[in-house]
Amino acid sequence: MGYLFTSESVSEGHPDKVCDAISDGILDAMLKEDPNSRVACETFVTTGLVIVGGEVTTKAYIDVETVVRDTIKKIGYTKAEYKFDSESCGVLNSIHSQSPDIAMGVDTGGAGDQGIMFGYACDQTPELMPMPIVFAHKLVKKLSDIRKRNNKLMPYLRPDSKSQVTIEYDDNHKPIRVDAVVISTQHDGGVKQSKIKKDVVENVIKKVIPAKYIDKKTKYFVNPTGKFEIGGPHGDTGVTGRKIIVDTYGGWAPHGGGAFSGKDPSKVDRSATYAVRHIAKNVVAAKLAKECLVQVSYAIGVAEPVSIFVDTNGTGRISDSEIADMINKEVDLTPKGIIKRLNLKSPIYQATSSYGHFGRKEFTWEKLDLVDKFVKYNKTKDKK
């Protein structure tokens, strides 16, 4: 018997994502000047106000206020009528130095904290990601692209938006159709909801979701409350790291609990989660399994992971324990090894802050550069 599964995404104008972008913008600015910067930066936003805090160890000097304002402007909060804009908002900076107790363990190459991290991949989409989260991300990204690049098409769009996609699966866990799409998009006043719905369906939904997954029973919910004029940090407060399920697999796979944005790669919450996504994706691409979940755990100050766990949900061509042994043998999962392999000291992080950290070709952890190593462990002939 089939089932339904739903994932959601939010745009860069969502208040939590504004915070993620600011925190990662500050991280990038520090890494650009000092690649060895240690950063744990948190941001809070509300009507007319941004508060930045956290702990850093760096040789870099950056103008935090400029980074904040440039980020907000890039997102699109540029009008006073939004009650939050790049020129008039207040900016409070409360960043201080990192605890020497933490630094002591990290300096020797150990993990920056204890914790568990999960990576996942499956063959549902070309991105080797679960289909609901892929479509959810693409919908809000399409809204953003229209707003920024083709504003004449839907000139009333404002930066804040959310999406939700429900996929129907058959009893073999294969996606067969889109059952429902929910999109809420912030908009200017005086626009009829009927026009917004028509525009969203024609210019966004039908441009993003392949026609083969849409049928007469597919349901569309566009701004279901009837109006969405007040949004962004004026409509709701935002905090760094509150959208961890949006950032990863849309609830399809477990999450270890650690957020990503504002953290440098010595924090395994971030770097190890990227590493195990990289591994899981290469396991699936090497056809060792149709889906693969990898869990690792770390102790603060200790370089090697405490444990490695693999679950292919019965789809593996070799046993899960054999895949775990393969990973242990072929991949360096120490923080230093991960950082070097994935080039994580580069200022790449603000780009990750919206539309998901996974399933996007521009990131090093999405490369299929481990396939040749992994495919050697395939003990069965390739099945067509």
Side-chain angles (χ1 to χ4, degrees):
M1 187 175 179
Y3 58 93
L4 302 175
F5 192 89
T6 303
S7 294
E8 70 161 348
S9 183
V10 297
S11 72
E12 74 243 50
H14 185 281
D16 292 332
K17 282 293 153 195
V18 172
C19 294
D20 287 346
I22 291 170
S23 294
D24 276 335
I26 291 168
L27 170 62
D28 281 352
M30 291 186 177
L31 289 176
K32 190 174 181 179
E33 286 195 21
D34 177 8
N36 294 314
S37 295
R38 304 239 181 91
V39 182
C41 177
E42 310 287 343
T43 304
F44 168 86
V45 296
T46 187
T47 303
L49 179 64
V50 179
I51 301 175
V52 180
E55 302 80 42
V56 303
T57 299
T58 183
K59 296 177 182 178
Y61 171 78
I62 68 165
D63 186 335
V64 171
E65 182 176 340
T66 296
V67 173
V68 170
R69 296 191 189 281
D70 287 350
T71 300
I72 294 168
K73 182 178 180 180
K74 182 180 177 182
I75 290 169
Y77 286 110
T78 56
K79 299 179 181 179
E81 63 195 88
Y82 297 160
K83 302 295 191 293
F84 180 87
D85 69 273
S86 59
E87 292 188 2
S88 68
C89 67
V91 179
L92 299 181
N93 176 10
S94 186
I95 295 175
H96 57 87
S97 60
Q98 186 185 54
S99 163
D101 294 344
I102 295 174
M104 184 169 54
V106 179
D107 288 341
T108 59
D113 201 355
Q114 70 174 51
I116 57 173
M117 300 85 207
F118 290 93
Y120 180 79
C122 62
D123 63 358
Q124 291 181 27
T125 62
E127 297 88 353
L128 300 185
M129 288 281 288
M131 186 176 286
I133 191 65
V134 169
F135 285 168
H137 284 323
K138 288 183 177 181
L139 289 169
V140 283
K141 181 64 165 61
K142 183 68 171 178
L143 277 169
S144 176
D145 289 344
I146 291 172
R147 176 172 58 87
K148 292 180 175 181
R149 301 176 187 175
N150 189 15
N151 192 246
K152 292 182 179 179
L153 189 63
M154 298 170 70
Y156 49 81
L157 291 176
R158 292 183 175 183
D160 196 358
S161 64
K162 302 177 75 171
S163 68
Q164 189 171 283
V165 177
T166 301
I167 301 292
E168 181 179 342
Y169 291 81
D170 64 18
D171 52 8
N172 292 315
H173 309 295
K174 179 181 178 181
I176 55 176
R177 59 181 292 273
V178 173
D179 185 71
V181 179
V182 182
I183 292 183
S184 295
T185 182
Q186 188 187 12
H187 57 86
D188 292 339
V191 186
K192 291 184 179 179
Q193 292 301 313
S194 58
K195 175 173 176 53
I196 295 174
K197 181 172 183 178
K198 180 181 177 182
D199 286 350
V200 167
V201 172
E202 294 300 321
N203 299 325
V204 181
I205 297 174
K206 290 186 177 180
K207 297 295 184 182
V208 166
I209 299 177
K212 65 180 180 179
Y213 292 113
I214 296 176
D215 57 32
K216 293 180 180 179
K217 294 183 179 180
T218 300
K219 300 178 284 290
Y220 303 126
F221 301 92
V222 178
N223 285 8
T225 64
K227 187 169 72 170
F228 186 10
E229 292 179 24
I230 300 172
H234 179 54
D236 195 5
T237 58
V239 178
T240 299
R242 278 207 300 207
K243 287 291 178 284
I244 57 176
I245 301 304
V246 170
D247 285 344
T248 52
Y249 307 102
W252 187 274
H255 192 294
F260 306 144
S261 289
K263 295 179 180 177
D264 76 88
S266 73
K267 281 75 172 174
V268 283
D269 275 341
R270 184 165 216 164
S271 56
T273 302
Y274 291 170
V276 286
R277 158 63 181 171
H278 182 221
I279 291 167
K281 183 177 183 181
N282 278 265
V283 166
V284 173
K287 300 189 183 301
L288 291 180
K290 293 176 69 64
E291 65 175 295
C292 181
L293 176 72
V294 181
Q295 185 212 52
V296 290
S297 65
Y298 290 85
I300 188 168
V302 179
E304 294 288 345
V306 173
S307 66
I308 301 174
F309 167 79
V310 172
D311 182 7
T312 61
N313 198 24
T315 68
R317 291 186 171 183
I318 60 176
S319 70
D320 293 349
S321 61
E322 286 176 305
I323 294 175
D325 289 342
M326 174 195 74
I327 294 168
N328 203 32
K329 180 179 179 181
E330 298 287 350
V331 185
D332 183 351
L333 281 170
T334 64
K336 283 186 176 179
I338 293 169
I339 290 167
K340 181 179 179 180
R341 183 171 65 257
L342 301 181
N343 193 25
L344 296 182
K345 288 188 177 182
S346 301
I348 57 172
Y349 295 102
Q350 194 172 63
T352 70
S353 63
S354 297
Y355 313 116
H357 292 243
F358 307 126
R360 299 165 57 185
K361 292 180 180 179
E362 65 262 39
F363 301 137
T364 55
W365 49 92
E366 294 295 316
K367 290 182 178 180
L368 297 178
D369 52 353
L370 297 177
V371 170
D372 289 343
K373 287 184 177 182
F374 290 176
V375 75
K376 296 182 295 185
Y377 290 82
N378 193 339
K379 297 178 180 179
T380 65
K381 292 183 179 180
D382 192 27
K383 298 177 183 179
K384 294 183 180 179

